[in-house]
Amino acid sequence: MEETKKCYTDEELQEFKQLIDAKLEVARKEFNDIMRTLRGEDSNDVDDTMPTYKILEEGSATQSKEELMAMAARHQKFIQGLEGALQRIKNKTYGIDRMTGELIPKERLRAVPHATLSVASKNANKNH
């Protein structure tokens, strides 16, 4: 009888680490770009020097800023998830479903490298 695998090998963890490092680099760059846009660092606009009385334009600018802030928050959460995954790799607990203790399929981890639940566990968790 074949024993069920309890954790990924060091080679497999290294493969996931490389995937996560690449995603983390892109996510951090995008987050920094969003933050620069929010701070107006790349702007050649005259908003800060020219009085404006156009309420619709101000409303649009406010909405854009709110959307950027929401996007920044999503990126920050994603970055934290990826950093947590790197910590789990270091602890050799990466890829273990936190509900069942079984291995999360590689396909899922390649698609969602910060996943802590298999699809079945996630769906079961939703129903409760």
Side-chain angles (χ1 to χ4, degrees), residues 6 18-19 21 26 35 54 56 59 75 102-103 112 117:
K6 298 285 185 198
Q18 289 173 352
L19 174 73
D21 284 340
V26 170
M35 294 308 293
K54 298 181 175 114
L56 289 175
H75 271 74
E102 296 175 1
L103 281 184
V112 185
L117 294 172

Side-chain angles (χ1 to χ4, degrees), residues 20-32 75 78:
I20 292 167
D21 284 340
K23 287 188 179 282
L24 201 48
E25 184 179 336
V26 170
R28 285 180 175 147
K29 182 192 177 313
E30 289 174 355
F31 176 77
N32 289 334
H75 271 74
F78 182 57

Side-chain angles (χ1 to χ4, degrees), residues 29-30 32-45:
K29 182 192 177 313
E30 289 174 355
N32 289 334
D33 289 347
I34 292 167
M35 294 308 293
R36 286 173 52 155
T37 301
L38 278 170
R39 290 189 295 264
E41 292 177 13
D42 296 330
S43 177
N44 290 328
D45 210 347

Side-chain angles (χ1 to χ4, degrees), residues 55-67:
I55 293 173
L56 289 175
E57 287 180 15
E58 288 177 5
S60 177
T62 300
Q63 182 180 4
S64 293
K65 196 170 200 170
E66 288 172 356
E67 289 170 357

